Amino acid sequence: MTSQGQTGRSPGGALLALDQGTTNTKAVLVDATTGAVTAQASSPTSIAFPAPGWVEQDAEQLWTATLTAVERCLEQAPEVRVLGIGISSQRETAVCWSRSTGRALGPALGWQDARTAAWCADLAEREPGAAATIRRRTGLSLDPMFSAPKFRAAIDAASAAGAPLSDIAVGTVDAWLLWRLTGRHVTDLGNASRTLLLDLPSLRWHDELLSLFGIDPVHLPEPCPSDASFGVTTECLGRMPAGVPVLAVLADSHAALYHHGCTVPGTGKATYGTGTSVMSPTADAGGAPHGIATTVAWHVAGRPTYAREGNIVASGSALDWMASTLGVPEGTAGGAYLEALATGVPDSGGACFVPAFSGLGAPYWDRSAVGVLSGVTAGTTRGQLARAALEAVAHQVADVVEAMESDGSTRIGTLHADGGATASGTLMQIQSDLLGRPLDVASSPAASALGAARLAAEQLGVAVPVATPGRHVTPHPCAVDDRRRAWSQAIARSRGLPVSQAHPANSEQTSQQTSQQTSEQITERNHP
Ligand SMILES: O=P(O)(O)OC[C@H](O)CO
């Protein structure tokens, strides 16, 4: 949404967009007549790593941070009338709560949480066809990142702690917020498609999937279109009276796609956050190339839009790691420090950094991969290492885009970019060079919230123009083959493979080879 204004009916008042993310909740107020952002605020959320591979958030805090962000936002516009709410939220994270008390039962299991890796491995072992069935029905891989194994673990834990089964509700973060806002146990189809339980063609929880994960559907929310009537707020929330309708719900990455106006095949975006999500709408619900997921982007005006997606596990976190390892001076932001170092050198001097902190996500899906810093010599400088970190992010995105387009059925013309790391002009230029295509970089850091606001506005008859990009980046003519080759070799080292098997196209073969190894490598085996 931009300051350009809207077309169509002008209802007056404002839309409140919420973006509940991993590190904070944002609240953005958008004028329903002009389409302009009139106020915004955020409130941080904490994250805990209580054991290796475990990532937890306090579900109650996800809610209170949302209330705080709303209050901070509305106090900037005390007279405003909120006409409706749009929600975008972090995906896959599993929340478990009591229907009778409305309180969380245990911590939220974060999307990065991999505690169920062994459980997933065991499922693949016990049911040899399970991974293929899951991939065929859901478009996803059997991986602990997704919600179903976390739901299973949360229900077991709540039940073991004494909660009656009939009282236990689970859902992704959108469902949790909707429960607290409206008292309804519902979820949007985009979020539902990240659980491993939604059958993509029928858009319903599927018995075969429920039975694989041992989940009784009685615990689950009802999947709804993204523009459904999600209910109205049941209580006064600070300055906001009760009775405000929730008009739109989208998963965060999907909301950013909507904000960019990427609604048809051939368009696409990358959201550079802790990890990076590359998404592009696709004409059908199946057939994505190896290592790439198919997901419901949204269900609007009575029909679903599907998208291909590749999730990169470490991008912003890789930049943070490199910045703190190089020693960020006090008072300087890590990103700005890396940028200043990297702009001082023309290239990485042969250094390659593969940030496989907890394995590699798309398109490799190899949880056994390890972090690698290669090509380092006695002459390697801080600037070159900073550059290698930025290149690592751009190479991973290029790997995903290449995999997404590998069957020849789609080609993204201009890649839209949003998220914190887009502040790096060096990264954006490297990205454009490696892909050999232009980038449109979002002007707002709140692309997901604005996507939810846009869909909510449309429910009021307000057609909001697509966001105007802040920057257009065009590729420099340069030789990228050597850089891509060096990166592929570093990936092979990270995966413990001969460098000849470095390219993602070889993943199928390598997954079979590595599948005979340790149980930690089971997630690789699970990606058909
Ligand atoms: O909270 P974010 O912005 O890091 O997004 C998390 C993603 O939705 C996980 O799939």
Side-chain angles (χ1 to χ4, degrees):
M1 201 162 291
T2 70
S3 57
Q4 290 174 17
Q6 46 81 75
T7 57
R9 193 159 65 83
S10 300
L15 292 150
L16 177 68
L18 306 175
D19 177 25
Q20 201 309 295
T22 312
T23 55
N24 62 37
T25 303
K26 295 189 187 94
V28 178
L29 209 51
V30 174
D31 188 287
T33 303
T34 66
V37 172
T38 54
Q40 50 191 316
S42 73
S43 179
T45 49
S46 50
I47 190 158
F49 306 94
W54 291 31
V55 181
E56 295 182 351
Q57 296 204 269
D58 178 345
E60 292 295 336
Q61 193 204 33
L62 299 183
W63 168 243
T64 53
T66 302
L67 293 181
T68 304
V70 169
E71 194 56 16
R72 287 178 183 163
C73 187
L74 292 184
E75 70 192 11
Q76 297 167 41
E79 306 302 326
V80 82
R81 189 164 59 96
V82 178
L83 300 171
I85 298 171
I87 296 176
S88 89
S89 55
Q90 58 171 306
R91 309 173 299 166
E92 297 111 13
T93 297
V95 185
C96 180
W97 65 90
S98 156
R99 289 183 195 281
S100 53
T101 68
R103 305 282 300 174
L105 296 169
L109 306 185
W111 57 274
Q112 300 141 297
D113 190 289
R115 76 184 61 185
T116 61
W119 192 93
C120 292
D122 186 54
L123 173 61
E125 206 85 33
R126 275 185 286 119
E127 307 264 357
T133 299
I134 288 167
R135 170 84 175 170
R136 181 168 44 82
R137 290 211 176 276
T138 71
L140 306 175
S141 307
L142 173 53
D143 187 273
M145 182 176 95
F146 300 107
S147 315
K150 299 183 210 289
F151 287 159
R152 164 78 275 151
I155 293 166
D156 285 350
S159 169
L165 277 172
S166 59
D167 192 44
I168 298 174
V170 292
T172 43
V173 170
D174 63 315
W176 170 234
L177 297 184
L178 286 163
W179 171 270
R180 296 300 286 257
L181 285 167
T182 70
R184 296 189 62 208
H185 194 195
V186 286
T187 188
D188 120 89
L189 278 162
N191 279 289
S193 75
R194 309 298 295 175
T195 60
L196 296 176
L197 298 173
L198 192 84
D199 178 56
L200 286 189
S202 67
L203 299 173
R204 291 171 190 271
W205 303 134
H206 196 279
D207 286 346
E208 195 177 7
L209 301 166
L210 293 164
S211 127
L212 279 175
F213 290 97
I215 294 174
D216 186 329
V218 76
H219 301 297
L220 295 172
E222 177 195 348
C224 298
S226 316
D227 57 358
S229 300
F230 287 96
V232 298
T233 53
T234 50
E235 303 171 19
C236 156
L237 301 172
R239 290 165 198 272
M240 193 168 64
V244 177
V246 178
L247 299 171
V249 179
L250 293 163
D252 56 5
S253 185
H254 312 210
L257 193 72
Y258 203 72
H259 169 66
H260 291 297
C262 297
T263 55
V264 292
T267 61
K269 65 92 206 181
T271 299
Y272 297 80
T274 309
T276 295
S277 155
V278 184
M279 282 184 100
S280 174
T282 180
D284 47 52
H290 178 82
I292 298 298
T294 308
T295 206
V296 176
W298 48 75
H299 192 293
V300 170
R303 67 176 196 89
T305 295
Y306 296 98
R308 286 185 177 180
E309 180 176 21
N311 284 92
I312 294 156
V313 182
S315 54
S317 55
L319 300 178
D320 290 345
W321 181 87
M322 184 61 85
S324 66
T325 302
L326 293 176
V328 189
E330 219 172 297
T332 306
Y337 178 56
L338 278 192
E339 180 71 356
L341 285 174
T343 50
V345 295
D347 55 47
S348 70
C352 250
F353 173 45
V354 181
F357 299 144
S358 54
L360 289 166
Y364 304 98
W365 292 106
D366 185 352
R367 291 269 176 175
S368 72
V370 295
V372 161
L373 189 52
S374 66
V376 177
T377 70
T380 301
T381 65
R382 282 166 189 265
Q384 288 168 332
L385 291 175
R387 182 118 191 159
L390 295 173
E391 287 185 353
V393 174
H395 276 297
Q396 291 187 94
V397 170
D399 289 349
V400 168
V401 172
E402 275 176 17
M404 222 173 230
E405 297 176 346
S406 62
D407 63 354
S409 69
T410 187
R411 189 180 190 280
I412 298 169
T414 297
L415 184 71
H416 291 263
D418 64 86
T422 61
S424 166
T426 308
L427 171 60
M428 293 295 96
Q429 190 60 57
I430 296 170
Q431 189 70 81
S432 177
D433 293 348
L434 290 183
L435 289 171
R437 67 191 81 183
L439 257 53
D440 274 342
V441 184
S443 52
S444 170
S448 294
L450 294 181
R454 181 165 177 236
L455 183 57
E458 286 166 3
Q459 306 324 301
L460 297 177
V462 179
V464 178
V466 167
T468 312
R471 273 145 51 217
H472 185 71
V473 183
T474 50
H476 290 153
C478 58
V480 296
D481 287 358
D482 288 350
R483 289 156 73 186
R484 294 290 288 146
R485 196 170 305 112
W487 168 256
S488 292
Q489 289 170 356
I491 285 281
R493 290 191 180 98
S494 159
R495 303 182 66 195
L497 300 173
V499 292
S500 60
Q501 293 179 8
H503 197 271
N506 294 319
S507 293
E508 213 139 1
Q509 181 192 0
T510 54
S511 82
Q512 283 158 15
Q513 288 167 343
T514 53
S515 69
Q516 307 307 317
Q517 300 168 20
T518 68
S519 67
E520 275 204 296
Q521 291 169 298
I522 195 69
T523 49
E524 166 66 4
R525 226 179 314 173
N526 295 341
H527 292 76

